[in-house]
Amino acid sequence: MDEARKAELANYSDKIGEGNLVPLWDRLRSLVTPEPKSPCQPHLWRYDAIRPVLLEAGTLLTAKEAERRVLILENPGMPGESKITTSLYAGIQLIMPGEIAPAHKHSQAAFRFIIEGNGAYTAVDGEKSYMSKGDLILTPSGRWHDHGNESDEPTFWLDGLDIPIVQFLDASFFEHHSDDEHPHVIEDGDSVAMYGSGMMPVDFEVQSPTSPVVKYPYERTRATLNKMKKAGNLDPCHGLKLMYVNPVDGKSAMPTMGAFMQLLPSGFETSSYRSTDATVYSVVEGRGKTKVGERVFEWGPNDTFVVPSWHHHQHFAGDECVLFSYSDRPVQQALGLWREDRGNR
Ligand code: 1HN
């Protein structure tokens, strides 16, 4: 295109811009890319670096003052946006012995994946779930929740929330409870026993797309992985991988976030894999490394790392490794957008 026509088109763009109009021919290629092109960057956060500074925050303000004492894991490719991927939020939360993080509810769904400590709890609509390492506790959209620590140790967990999804949809509501704690009316373990034991109350009425099971204890998850290991059948891309499901419909335990737990036997190397759901990993057991594109991240227990959408990656297990992960996969699947590439081109 000659300079005169370029100038003419630029003039035209400037002129119509005043009327809030933009020519699509300037934007099309960045709006509709041949492949996912994400601002999200691969990154690793070491627990050893987070733990001491989060404990320091424990001396600076109480859980009540902070409402939630959390350090956000912010993706370096999206500074200021409080996102770990384009669609998901992650943070590490600390509650000190004797503290209460006051009751509130919001449209954003959350889960807690327990990293360290024993004996703190999350209460969801009055059902207390005590925390142990590797447990997954759900806080579905719109339910009252408060946290407390009845133990004598600080307790740390990974918070996963669908904040960017709710923000994108402009559907955020938030409310404080009139008291610090919602009355604790249901015993720990009730929902696992009632809905998560292969049986269900006969007239159970589904009221939400989220699983009625509030806590998925690590004891059970690990026992299932052990059984799978005995049975063999390793997947070349995933090793042995479980998905947290809603027993009502067999779908993802949460509608906006898929959660997974996988075991990689000692020395196992996964085949190159990529999918459209950017994935956040939290290391539960073992040491290993993950190659994402040209970068290599070495990880150990309690580290968190993120693999962006459509990035080729491979895991290398040193000793036997257990990895928790979450992504927006159920959203993409519900919309018919999810794709994977198992490398067998
Ligand atoms: C929240 O309610 C919690 O309940 C944690 O522990 C992190 C981040 C943003 C908004 C609400 C919690 C949060 C949050």
Side-chain angles (χ1 to χ4, degrees), residues 57-199:
T59 65
L60 297 175
L61 73 185
T62 65
K64 197 172 168 181
E65 281 167 345
E67 178 126 4
R68 298 293 187 261
R69 188 192 292 109
V70 179
L71 296 179
I72 300 172
L73 308 184
E74 187 169 75
N75 193 284
M78 296 176 285
E81 294 192 36
S82 309
K83 298 173 178 176
I84 189 157
T85 70
T86 53
S87 60
L88 297 171
Y89 161 103
I92 307 287
Q93 182 158 174
L94 163 67
I95 186 158
M96 297 296 284
E99 285 190 323
I100 286 168
H104 66 206
K105 64 176 180 180
H106 40 71
S107 326
Q108 292 80 357
F111 68 76
R112 330 282 161 202
F113 183 69
I114 316 311
I115 289 178
E116 182 188 329
N118 249 308
Y121 65 84
T122 287
V124 176
D125 280 346
E127 173 174 350
K128 266 186 179 181
S129 290
Y130 285 94
M131 300 171 167
S132 298
K133 182 174 167 62
D135 293 349
L136 180 74
I137 300 175
L138 311 185
T139 311
S141 172
R143 311 271 294 273
W144 293 112
H145 55 284
D146 48 85
H147 316 299
N149 188 351
E150 296 169 359
S151 81
D152 53 11
E153 317 157 23
T155 296
F156 298 84
W157 65 81
L158 169 71
D159 282 318
L161 284 91
D162 56 9
I163 293 172
I165 296 176
V166 176
Q167 190 176 35
F168 171 71
L169 298 170
D170 258 340
S172 176
F173 292 93
F174 174 94
E175 227 179 293
H176 277 291
H177 198 271
S178 49
D179 301 311
D180 279 353
E181 296 173 275
H182 183 281
H184 297 144
V185 287
I186 311 171
E187 279 181 35
D188 182 28
D190 270 22
S191 75
V192 193
M194 276 203 283
Y195 311 106
S197 301
M199 302 190 88

Side-chain angles (χ1 to χ4, degrees), residues 30 215 263 270 316 320:
S30 60
K215 176 164 94 171
L263 184 148
T270 61
F316 303 86
E320 179 170 283

